[in-house]
Every structure is written in structure tokens, then in C-alpha cells.
Amino acid sequence: MTSSTSSSDPRALVAAVLLPLLILGGWYGWLAGQSEEWPPSALALEMDAELAAAKPEIVILGNSASYHAVDPEQLKKELGIQGTVSRLFVPASRSAAWYAVLKNRILAQPDKPKLVVVVASLHHMIDLEMNESRIDRLRGLLTADDDLIRERALGGASWPVLDRSRQLADNLFEVPKRAAVGLFFDDGADPNEALLDRGQRIAEAATAVVFNIETGTDMSLHRRVLPVAEVDEASDGPPPLDPEQAFLAEMADLANANGIRLVFAWFPLPASNPAPNPGVDLQRRTIELVNAHNAGWIDLHTLPLSQSVFFDHIHMNEAGRRQFTEALAEELKRIDALGSSPFGNAPLPIEVGAITRTGAPAPLPPLGAPVKTTTPCRYQIAIPELNPLNNKALYDAVGIAEGSPLRLLADGVPLKPHIKGPDQACDDTYTHGPTGILFSPLEDKLDGRTWTLAWETAFPAMAVRKGTPSEVWWVLPGTSVRIEMPAAWPAERGPFAVRVEGQILGEGGAYQLAIGADRQDFETTGTLARALATPAAPTGPWSIEITAPAGSAPLFLERVSVGQGPTATAILGAPSAGQSTRLLGAPHPGRKVSTASPVPEGSTPAPARRIDRPEPTAVARVPIGVLEGLGPGDVYAATTVGSCSPIRLLEDGVPLALAHTGIKEIVGGTPGAYRVQGSTAMFTSSDLSDPTTNGRSYKAVLTEERACGQAVWVYPGDLIRIEFDPARLSPLGATRLVLSGATFRGEPAGQTLDVMLDGDGVNYLSAAVPLSDLASGLAQINLDQPIPGTIKQLVLQLASTAGSPYVIVTSAELDGADEMGVPSPAGADEAPVEALTTLDGPVDLPLGKLGPVRDDPANVQWIESDPGGSTAELLNEDGTRFVRLQSTGFGASRVCSQLFPAVDALARAKVRAPTVKGEPGVKHAALRLEVLWRDGAGKPVQSAGGVRLIEQAADWAWADLPIDPPAGAAKGQLCLRFARSTGRADLAVWRLVPAGG
Amino acid sequence: MTFIQVEFLVFFAVVYASYWLVGDRRIQNAILAVSSAVFYGWVHPWFLILLYGSALLDYGMGLLMHDRPEQKKVWLTISMAGNLGMLGYFKYCDFFIENVIAAFGALGIETNLHTLGIFLPVGISFYTFQTMSYTLDIYRGQLEPRRNFLDYIVFVSFFPQLVAGPVERARDLLPQMEVDRVFSLTAVRSGVALAAWGAFKKVCVADTIAPYVDKVFVLNEPTFALIALASVGFSIQILADFSGYTDIARGISRMMGFELVENFKHPYLAVDPSDFWRRWHVSFSTWIRDYVYIAVGGSKGPFWFTVRSTFIAMLVSGLWHGASWNFVLWGAFHATLITGYRIVEPRLPAAVRGRWFSQPAAIAIMYVWTCVGWLIFRETRIDRLLYYATLPPLGGTHEQWVATVMFASAIAVVATPLLLALAGERWIKPRLEGSPWFLPVQTSLWATYAVAILSLMRTNNNDFIYFQF
């Protein structure tokens, strides 16, 4: 090794040593000047003030997720206490901060609460990870140095360095920020206010609005945009989870020593949360720790909350808060949290052993001879007795794709199930479709092979649910599914019960549920089979056995749960909130919407302005004045029901004919066509005269028709009455009403929508629903009393005050009748054919269902699928039903609506096809919309016209067609097919519109 | 382990002391090999299997190319397949599956495919490219294969540049592994200066602006001004982050007697798109140039051929940065910029050439385009990018404009040291460098960096952005 140095001036060398020492020494001196006082942070002062002012009987403690999960006023009401409930939360905190709050803020008060409830996910309770912001916040919560926190949370680090760094960072960024804002913005609130103070005030106000976590941000956008999770883990390892090293035991000991009851409540996370709940071992260790230190434990993590009650991956919205608070109150009462007796031991997590299938499935019937279809390399074998098990039926029934339990074998060798259906590749694949087994043998030859059916042997089988692989638990005829439970039922888990719920695909049978020796039959309602067993709680290892007898249809298990109430544990399937009845937002034949309320005033008639466009048609604009914000674009942006703008344009008091049409119609010279955009309506006059010179007045008003498709408008000051056909209501009744919609023109905060629900003369609900709930997308209201399933008449009334915003209710759903529930009665999808004879407004025909294709008028199906290779399917994605027409040849396939009466009053037919794609390489897809008429005997009746080509993307949103039933026509049928091109179209709505509608 | 950790300081102190104490080159290399394994396997020791697997493969193939040259194409193919296969599996497999599912979905076909949740090993993109350069150079006859495995493995796993570059060429770094090193106080001083400045950039610039940038990118409805500022903020963040890492890597390497390639040469002073790539991530861009751009034909051919080569190279470059379509789009964006400039540049009027404003204007214009590119790079969701494009340039509520001013002030704060450093480098350093008083200035600066770093360092430092690539 050799070395080299460079020569220097000795004075420079001394300076080179002294100067940095001076800097570092100065810094050290600055740090050393750190006061030993522990000034509370603004958050700590807020907590102190809250505790001093409220003197709460109960304190809810946690982080922002806890804050959003509990409503103090509701909790107080639910618990029936006189004292107050306070929420203390430290953003993004973990147990160290909660311990600090308990020790330094809560216990420092002369009046201590009776109960402290730590509400958090289990992950947050036992996560030890500390970061700078957590440390910053922790520091401000302390009143003195705390060895435990310093050692365990900071690894022995020194506070002065942390404090000073915080000050430095503050000064570095805050001062320029305040100065810049103060310089650029002066709201004149206080002429004597210093620049920096003004800057701080305005900046804080703006920050609260722009970066508001609940309304302004979407934390999911963080995903993968910066150092990704795997890198964090790669560098630092996963966040440490350790109940013993968290501060749970210390909190419990501290609370007990000061006569405070402490309860830990584990709340649920939405499916979108990326951090899974800790495993059974960590759960057991945490609960054992809590039990050992005499704290209360509430497990609400399986509370069935839908994703929609969370506004991000962890925080609940108002609806979620209401549901969680209710459940929390129930549990606090159950464990007597406000009492004085020691908490009993909380139940340890339930362990599930092996899940196996026993017995040999009943043999399947022999197959008939394959029939070659017109498609090359495709053969079909009809299996009518097993048809209910086909993939499409299964998808419609339970949302599982590719889940049929049948396998096709050639000479005993299974073929490969095709993901969609056998194609023309002769690749030995098969599928189970609505018409039977379809398969593609090698080389397009049957080769004398023997074709047999077998049950799927894999257990559980794999299928696809909403694009995600999913385990499928079939109980095949002649077999049992046995779930081993290795431990006795813990008495702390309350009453013992086992619930099983499944779907029967086909002819049912005497399905049985056995808990040890206790055996009972399933109850079946329609396709639903369910069983509830409540034998004596097992005192040793036990088992659940579900048996389908030979000769029955297979049972598709949807849910198996043990225990009762909100803490029931789901072994298979997700916790279920029960089946529902859609009152609004779905076809509900027989629904009548009426009101006697006057319509709010529309715009002031104003002179039309000519639009400077090259088209020869006299297209003009007129301001819509006070109705701005209610245009189709506004409505679509808030609800995706774009056609539902309530604005109508009057010409000398008479409505123009074509509301909210496309620009093409307007500039193309359609008389009386208009479209609202922003603050104006673009339109043509009824006779195409120039609106700027024809002397007529134009005024925008609101339609008196409150119903719009499946949605309902509630104008300010309205009282809307909606009646429902009892045949469409769930026989199980309901306990909850879920509303969603949107508000327009006006601030929803502080405003309410009065909702009343009456059935058979009994009031089941009378509530004021905050419009902010609707604005956030969902409002869930528990009924004042459950609606029985035997109800004969149901009326929903919606009322708003004169000053409230405009409201559109796009969905109203009754649910929660029973944990298991049943679907709506069969036939709910039937078309309201008869209702058309008294057509008094636009009517949406049901989208339809698939059926065999034929011209036989007695067998005309709602969707016609040409055997030439094209397909039409009824799909349901993300709760939206639509028909997908996939055409591979010109005019080869079409979809048609159900037949409807040829009523003279009908003026237009409309379709909505939001997605239309040409085949690859085709830029412009075109669809052909037409009406096919038939006479009373079902024979085709020729009609002049009535055909419309839809070419432009703008048209697909809503395309319409004049209807004029020809002489002799008794029924009509709307049909859509590809023209000039092939491709794919998703049809969402068939609509019939009467004259003036 | 990362450079900005107390553990690293302890680790490096131990390694550095023992490294110079032993003196013997072979033992020094053994120390480097062991310490690199400790550094890389600190959290996930199994990552070492991949690292050594890749190294062994290329070591073997390099020797085979030399010993059995008649089949060297086969050995090269095996090397490439092994490295790209590993990279493809760990980095792109899930991305591929996601897109297959999406493509089938677009055709209306449901699949039962699902992603595998593959864990991305840190630095895999860097070391696979580095070892590939070894076999490629041997194949091209530009490098002799090494038989001393210790020297070779130190080249592959050299901890200062293992996880985030620079992507060193074998012909540059390997020879340095094979010669005795000279301890030099000048080199130590220079290395400390580089590493201290790098740490300052990482902690005090990149990590302090990062939360501001993040806050804008999670806004549901940002304004155009906020997004534009966020792109500017991100341009500072990524430069400070990446060049900070490189400077630390180069600094500590220099202290140990190695010279790594200079990776950043004031990229935001680039005057055109090609110039940008001569200044940004130089080790990688030259790798792409030599092994992709030239390999697919480069500019030897008609204009369209050059365009094709440019697009291929830049798309590979984009995809290398991450398994996401926005990175591909980013590559295409830069390819378009380069091509566009080639078309426009000859047509520029003489009036704008060589004038006093020409260079500043070119720098400003190129910086704006660079920021557009960073927006594409930072925002992984294409739908959000399209949304940003529709925002009115001057739209925004009062509160949003206040937030814009706040953000601008934060950017000004973090940009100041970078601008001061640039000015210092241009005007002060040349005047002081020969003077004995340069040393006290330098040590004072180091002390200032230390104070700033200790004051601003967060326990949850963002990882170096390029770790994910």
C-alpha cells in the first residue's frame, strides 16, 4: 500500500479543521439549548381542550381510520349514556401514540373518562413501525421524557435532535410558504395582519380544502407511483408486527391502575386494503395479551360492510360510520364495557381444519350422440337435464364464470375446458353452454370416440369470479363436504350456531347439514338452500358436514359461517348482507312515481343567439339561467345516467320535440332538437325557422315527470310518492334502505332528504337523510322497524325543502332482511308488456335473456342470436347489466328486444349502446336499428322506413328511431345489428317513448 | 441496506478500515466480495442466489466463448436468455400476465389467469445489464474473459454501485479490480466531497420535496398549474435522488481506489433531446446506445431506419425503468422528441441560430419537454395522464391557486442549493481549487451538509427511486 498527500498552507489546514468544528459545535450548542420543557403540540392542546370541556365518559382513541369509524353522538345515543363521547385521534398513529395520549393527556385530566375504546385494525394495533411524522406527533403528545417510548419506539434516540430538526424543517419551508402566500393573496380580512400571519392563515385554509383527505385526495393513486411496496420491503423488510412489543399491555395496565376501563376494538377493512389482517397466530397472541391484562376485546373485523362505505382503502364514510358505530355500541353493551366487573376472556380466533369431500358422486347419465353444428369443428350434445349447471346459468345465478362442475371425456380422457367456448381450432376443447356441451374434436372428426360426462374431481374447483380466480365449493350429489374444526367451541364466542347457504342449480333434493351427530334438512326457497343449526356447543373437536343426496342437483356453497351476530366467522364465502330488492335503479315493473308538487320556475325567456356555424340550419343558443348545472353532462358526470337531465326547452310555451339529442341532429336540421351544454341550450326551432328572427320566445323549464328511467328526481320543495308492485318485493322483507344518488345546484352539506317508507298503512321509516351522504354516493338507513316479507303494498316518499339542492335518486335498495335472504321472485325480469297499453311516459324494456333462436312467433326470444357464429350474451359487470352483441359477419347476428304492443301512442324508440367497437382494423363501426312488426298471428308486417343507421360514436350513447306502427301490426320488436362492419356492441337500454314523452 | 442508514456508516467504516489495513489486493477483493454479499443480502439473503446465478452464468459463458469460439453465438445466446429470462420473470412476468388478461378481456374472453405476485429483487435490472455487457464485450472481441473468479465477482457485486448503478462496463471496471490500489488523501478528499454532496442531495433535496410532489399526485382533481409544478418538483426530486445516489457510489468507490463513470452531466442544461441523453444516466444511455441502438442498425441507413432504431432503443429504455405502460410511453415520448428534433433542427431559420438567446431558449424548451416526460414517468395511470391533458391551463379555485403558490415556494427552497452548487461549480470552484484555502471551504461545506442532513433526515427516508428499476 502506498499513500500520497498534497501539501497545504498550515493556516489553511488549521482553518480546515477549525471551521467545520465551529459549525458542528454551533449546531451542537443549538441542540444543547433545547429546553427540557415539553411543549405540547397543537394536536395535544386540542385534545386537552376537548377533554377539559367535554369531560367525556367515553374516549375513542386511535388514528384517522378510527376517527372516521365512530360517530360520538350516535354512540352516546346507542349506549343511552348521559355523559359525552370524545374522539381523540393521532393521524397515522400506532400504539405508541395511543399510549402517550392515555398517559399524558387523558390521565393528566382531573376528570377521567370511565371508558377508553381503542378502535383500530389489528394491523395498526400491533405494528411497531415508526417514521418521522409518527415520531413528530408522538413528541408533541408527551409531557415528560418517557423511557419506555424512547427505548421501544425510538430505539433510544434523543429528543433534542428530533425537535430541532422539526423546527429547522418548519422554518425552511414554512416561512417562504407563508411569505409567498401572504404576498400573492390578500383577502383584506385584517388590514393590520402581518404578512406571514396572513400567509399562514390563507395557506392553512387552502390546505384544508385542496388536500382534504376525505374529499380531495385518492390515496390509491399512491400505488406504484413512487418507491413501490416491494422495494420498501426489500430495503427495510416488512413492517414489524408484534403484540408484545406494542403498547397494548402497558395501556391496559395504566388504565387499570387509574380506574379506567380499556377496550380494544378491531374494525373491518375493505377488500381494497392492501394490508391483510394478521394471521391466526398474531390474532391469538394479541387477544391472549389483552385477556391477560384485563382489557376488553371486541372483534368487529368481520362486520359485513361493503366497499362502498369506505371512501378509500381504510377510512369509512358517513354510511360506514353509522353502521360501525351501531355495531360497536352493541358489542360494548354485550361485554358490559361501562360496568365494573372484570372483562371476561375474549374468545380466541377460530381455527379451521381440513375441508374434504367424502363419498363418490352419483353417476351422470350417458350422453347422446354428438351433433355437428354449422360451425366448423364444433359439435354439440344436448343435456337438458343438466342444463341448469351450464356456465352461463351459473354466472347469472352466482356470478361465477366457468364454474360448471361437468367435464367432458373422450374415451375416458378429459378434454380441456375452453375459457370461452370451443373455437374453430379443432383443439379438443369443450364448454358447457346454455344449449348443452359444445366441443371441438381434433381434426374435426369424432373418430368413433366415446363421449362421456364426469363430475369435476378437483376439490375445491377453480373458477372465475369477477375476473379473479375463485375457489368453488360444490356439494355433488351423493357426496358430502366435511369441515373439520379442531378445537371446542369457545364459550366466549357466545351462542353456537352454524349457518350454511347455497344455490341449487337444477332440481333440488333433501340436502342435509350435520354438526356431529346433529343432523337436519336444508330449507329451500326457489334456488336458495339454507340451514341453520344450533345444537349444543361442541366441547371437543367437531365437524360440519353438508350432504347432497344422490339424485339431487349439486349444491353450490355460497357461505358457511359459525357463531351468531356481527362477530360470526365466515369459513367459506364472505359475510353476507342478504339479498335485496331494488326499488329504484333497476327495472321494477309496476312502479308508479307521482307528485302533486309544483315544478320550480325555469329560466327567464331570453332572445336566442345565432351560432356562427357553417351549417345551413338556423341553430341557436339560449341561456338556461337558473337551471344551469342540470344538463345531461352534469347529470352524467355525477351519476352516469346522462339522459336524465330534467331540463326541457319550450318554444312559446310548447316543448320542443327532441330533448337532449346529439349535435348531429341539431346541426343536421332535425326540427325541435336541442341539447344543453353548460349555461346554454343549443337548439333548432320546431319548424327550422331562424330562432333569432322568428319572434318566438324560448325558455328552459323542468319537466314535471320526476321519474327518469330507473331514477327519480326530487326538486327543491318536492314530495314524491313512489308505489311498488308487491309481486316484485322480496318475500323476506327488509331492515335497511340503501339510497344512492347525487345532488345538483347547491351545497348538500347541512341539507336533508326526508325519506318515508310505508307498507300496508304502517310506517317503517321516517328519516332525514343528509344529502351529503347521497353526494358521497351512498346513504344507508336502518328502518325504524323491519318490513315483513308478507307486505302487500309499499310506498316510498321522498321530500325535500324549498331551499335544498336538486336531488336525483338513482338507486334505492331494501336489504338486510336476513343474513341469507332469497333472490327476488322468479319472473322479475319479465317485460311490462301490458303496461305499455297505458303508456304515459318513457318505458325501458327489460334487457332480456338468452334463448334459442327462431322465427316462430310463439318462441320469439328477447335476444336473438344467429347460429352463424355471432353471439349475444346478457352480462352483468360491476352491477351493470348489458347485452353484448359480438358479430363476426355482416348482418349475421342481431339482438332484439322483447315484443311490445304496437301502441299508436308510441313515437320513438331509443337504444343506448355505450360501447361499440369495430373489429380490429375497422375504424368506423356502424349499427342498424330497426323495428320488426308482427300481426296478431305473429306474421311479419312490412313497414316503410323505421330503419336507422348509427355511425357516429356520439350517437351510440343514445340513438333513437321514429316509430310508426304499420296497419295490422299487433306487436313490435326493436332489433340492433351490425351493418357495414362487424364488431362488438354493448347494449345497455331499450327505451320506448310515447309522443310528447 | 441503503446508503442513508446508520447501519451503512458502521458497515462502511469497518469495511473501509479493514480494506486499507490489509493492503494486499487479493485480500482486498475478498473483503469487497464478502462485504458486497452482506450489503446486498442484508434483508433478503436469497437475493444473492439470483445475483450469483447471473454472475456464474456469464462467467461460464465468457470462458466458453473464449475456449470454444466456434460456438460463441450459442454461449452468448445462453447468456442472454438466462439474464433476460431472469429479468423477464422477476420484473415483467406479472406485467405480461396482466396485459394478457386485459387483452383477452378486451376481446370478451374471460381467463383464469392470475398474476403471480412476484417479488422484485433490488437492483436486478442493473446487475443483469452489467453482466450482459461482460459477455457482449467478450463476444465482440472487446474484452478477454476472466479466469479469476474473485476479481470477476467483485466486478459484478461491487456494493457501491450494485443496486442502482452506474451500470459499469466490464472493460472499464474489471481492469480496476485487477490492479493494486493506491491510497491517496486527494482521492479520499474528493470521494468524501462527492459522497457528502450526494447524501445532501438525497436527504435535503429529494426527500424533502418528495412529500409535496406526492400530495399533488394523489389529488382527485388537480389543476393544470399544480400538475405542471409537480412535474417540475419531480424533475428536481428524481435528479437529486438519482444523482445523489450516484455521487455517493462514486465517492465511496473513489475512496477505495476505484473510478466509476460519471452518470449525470447537468442534464437540465441539455439543449436538445439527444443532448439530454448524453447527460442523463449516462452509463445506462450509452449501454442502450451500444448494445441496442447500434445492434439494431443505429443510423446506418435511411432516415426511417434511424427512426426505427431510435424507437426500439428508447422503448427498451422505457421498459427497463419499470413494468408499466407509462414507462413504455415515456420511452416513446423521448424517441418522438429525438426524431422530431432531427426533423425540425435542419429547418430552423438562421435568425434563431447562434444568437445570444439561442442556447438559453433551447435549454428552457428542452427542460419543459423533459418535465412533460417526467409527468409521464411519474404518473403510472394512463387515464390520469389523459385527464391532465384536458385540464384548462389557467383553471383553478382560489384555494388551488394558493396551494400552487405554496408548492412553488417549496420548489424554490429545494432548488436553491442545486442552483448554488451549479454556480459554485462554474464560478467559485475554478477560482479556489488551486488555492490552499479551498480545503477549509470544503470541510466547512461538509460540516454544513452534515448539519443539514442530520437535521432534515427522516427515519422514513424514501428509498432511492432508481432502486425500483
Side-chain angles (χ1 to χ4, degrees), chain B residues 101-400:
Chain B
I101 294 170
F104 275 109
L107 296 171
I109 301 171
E110 304 271 356
T111 71
N112 57 2
L113 289 169
H114 54 93
T115 53
L116 305 176
I118 297 166
F119 197 83
L120 177 68
V122 176
I124 190 168
S125 311
F126 288 90
Y127 67 70
T128 50
F129 269 46
Q130 187 155 312
T131 56
M132 279 197 289
S133 83
Y134 173 76
T135 45
L136 283 165
D137 284 354
I138 293 172
Y139 177 80
R140 291 176 172 186
Q142 295 169 342
L143 185 76
E144 282 291 307
R146 268 33 179 196
R147 294 192 182 273
N148 184 323
F149 187 71
L150 181 62
D151 291 351
Y152 168 80
I153 202 68
V154 174
F155 152 71
V156 174
S157 65
F158 187 46
F159 73 86
Q161 48 83 246
L162 174 59
V163 293
V167 183
E168 286 293 330
R169 300 298 177 80
R171 56 176 181 263
D172 294 332
L173 190 56
L174 251 175
Q176 298 185 58
M177 302 293 172
E178 295 166 339
V179 295
D180 290 341
R181 288 122 220 178
V182 179
F183 182 82
S184 154
L185 277 180
T186 310
V188 171
R189 179 177 157 188
S190 164
V192 169
L194 252 183
W197 172 235
F200 176 83
K201 281 194 286 186
K202 165 65 182 161
V203 174
C204 302
V205 178
D207 287 355
T208 47
I209 193 63
Y212 290 84
V213 174
D214 292 350
K215 276 194 173 181
V216 174
F217 277 102
V218 298
L219 286 180
N220 282 323
E221 294 175 352
T223 61
F224 184 87
L226 274 169
I227 280 296
L229 271 181
S231 301
V232 172
F234 185 67
S235 74
I236 295 170
Q237 182 193 345
I238 194 167
L239 174 67
D241 192 292
F242 196 11
S243 69
Y245 180 90
T246 305
D247 286 349
I248 300 173
R250 290 180 63 221
I252 59 179
S253 299
R254 190 175 291 171
M255 289 163 70
M256 290 191 289
F258 300 99
E259 197 56 44
L260 302 185
V261 67
E262 190 179 354
N263 226 5
F264 296 90
K265 299 174 179 174
H266 303 304
Y268 298 150
L269 296 182
V271 293
D272 63 60
S274 300
D275 189 28
F276 175 79
W277 284 102
R278 287 190 290 272
R279 294 164 173 267
W280 177 267
H281 203 176
V282 176
S283 64
F284 173 72
S285 58
T286 51
W287 198 103
I288 290 287
R289 181 197 64 199
D290 293 350
Y291 300 118
V292 181
Y293 179 75
I294 292 174
V296 298
S299 54
K300 290 178 185 169
F303 179 72
W304 69 266
F305 195 81
T306 308
V307 171
R308 168 188 155 279
S309 305
T310 305
F311 267 84
I312 291 172
M314 296 313 293
L315 289 175
V316 169
S317 165
L319 202 55
W320 177 88
H321 283 80
S324 176
W325 283 113
N326 70 304
F327 292 124
V328 178
L329 190 62
W330 179 69
F333 171 79
H334 273 281
T336 309
L337 278 187
I338 293 168
T339 305
Y341 185 74
R342 280 187 191 138
I343 296 169
V344 170
E345 199 273 339
R347 294 169 176 77
L348 285 175
V352 301
R353 292 174 187 273
R355 304 287 297 278
W356 64 269
F357 58 81
S358 301
Q359 192 183 29
I363 290 171
I365 292 167
M366 187 57 219
Y367 179 66
V368 170
W369 283 117
T370 306
C371 287
V372 174
W374 289 136
L375 180 62
I376 298 169
F377 188 97
R378 174 63 173 72
E379 179 56 78
T380 55
R381 279 177 47 177
I382 306 293
D383 60 324
R384 296 282 299 179
L385 281 173
L386 294 174
Y387 167 67
Y388 298 151
T390 64
L391 293 171
L394 296 176
T397 61
H398 165 77
E399 286 83 4
Q400 285 169 323

Side-chain angles (χ1 to χ4, degrees), chain A residues 835-924:
Chain A
L836 287 180
T837 57
T838 55
L839 193 66
D840 54 2
V843 169
D844 286 350
L845 293 168
L847 271 178
K849 48 190 176 186
L850 289 170
V853 180
R854 266 327 30 163
D855 279 342
D856 173 6
N859 194 25
V860 168
Q861 297 299 316
W862 300 10
I863 298 173
E864 182 175 326
S865 199
D866 192 280
S870 303
T871 59
E873 299 175 275
L874 182 61
L875 298 174
N876 186 337
E877 287 179 4
D878 299 328
T880 304
R881 283 160 63 90
F882 60 90
V883 174
R884 174 162 294 170
L885 169 67
Q886 200 127 9
S887 182
T888 53
F890 292 146
S893 183
R894 62 189 176 201
V895 288
C896 298
S897 75
Q898 187 189 17
L899 287 167
F900 55 84
V903 181
D904 287 340
L906 287 175
R908 307 190 79 79
K910 301 178 86 167
V911 294
R912 179 160 183 253
T915 306
V916 179
K917 288 182 180 171
E919 61 189 330
V922 174
K923 279 186 181 173
H924 303 291

